[in-house]
Amino acid sequence: MMKNECSCTTLRQLTRKMTNIYDHYLAADELTISQYSLLARIGKYGPIGVIPLAHSMGMDRSTMSRTLKPLISAGWIETVDLPLEMLTDKRSFGVRLSMEGERKWRQSKPNWRKAQDVINTILGDQTHHALMSLVDDANVKFEQNENAIL
């Protein structure tokens, strides 16, 4: 029997607990998990348009802008011109990691790994893999039905 019928409340409780663990370990690098995730995503995929980046991370434009702002101010992310086909519209712009951003990302990976290991230990392998599979499946279903919902 489920304690709470509200999917959002239940998932938010879990994500807050996980976020607290990541933020605790990444505090040594002066990063939050949201900031680390952006550095990692941009680091993995190279220059990318801000709107496609926001979409790939499940963020809206304003949330993306608020999250990017301190990383750009810190000099870890740079804005770049990209070909129009890599952007969603003419108002969009591209971002990439600066050399300092690359260094920050590499430097913070061990603390991210510590947080991930703590979460994996708490959940155990079976629960962790089941959770990731369920969340991946749910994300696909929401992406397939995005237009029907909004």
Side-chain angles (χ1 to χ4, degrees):
M1 178 185 242
M2 291 176 32
K3 287 190 223 177
N4 189 340
E5 286 187 39
C6 179
S7 302
C8 188
T9 299
T10 301
L11 287 171
R12 282 183 163 218
Q13 287 171 345
L14 177 60
T15 60
R16 278 189 204 100
K17 290 171 186 172
M18 288 185 174
T19 296
N20 288 339
I21 292 169
Y22 284 114
D23 286 349
H24 169 78
Y25 283 92
L26 290 168
D29 299 301
E30 299 177 347
L31 290 173
T32 65
I33 188 58
S34 295
Q35 293 170 330
Y36 176 85
S37 295
L38 271 179
L39 291 177
R41 181 71 54 111
I42 296 167
K44 269 186 188 176
Y45 298 107
I48 185 171
V50 171
I51 295 170
L53 177 62
H55 181 72
S56 75
M57 297 192 71
M59 293 180 173
D60 59 40
R61 279 184 183 198
S62 61
T63 302
M64 177 58 68
S65 293
R66 283 192 306 274
T67 307
L68 279 173
K69 200 172 207 171
L71 299 175
I72 292 171
S73 294
W76 300 327
I77 293 177
E78 302 171 328
T79 60
V80 293
D81 291 328
L82 293 175
L84 193 53
E85 61 270 10
M86 290 182 70
L87 303 173
T88 307
D89 62 38
K90 291 179 182 175
R91 295 178 300 149
S92 185
F93 58 93
V95 290
R96 71 174 177 208
L97 293 186
S98 66
M99 288 176 62
E100 277 298 312
E102 282 278 344
R103 195 170 11 264
K104 186 63 148 178
W105 178 38
R106 281 195 310 274
Q107 171 191 12
S108 59
K109 276 184 186 180
N111 286 324
W112 173 86
R113 180 81 259 165
K114 288 176 190 172
Q116 186 65 53
D117 290 345
V118 167
I119 289 169
N120 291 351
T121 298
I122 291 169
L123 294 176
D125 284 343
Q126 187 175 357
T127 301
H128 178 254
H129 291 299
L131 176 64
M132 297 309 292
S133 179
L134 286 169
V135 170
D136 287 345
D137 184 50
N139 274 320
V140 167
K141 289 178 180 180
F142 274 94
E143 287 169 11
Q144 291 170 342
N145 291 286
E146 191 172 36
N147 291 333
I149 297 166
L150 305 173

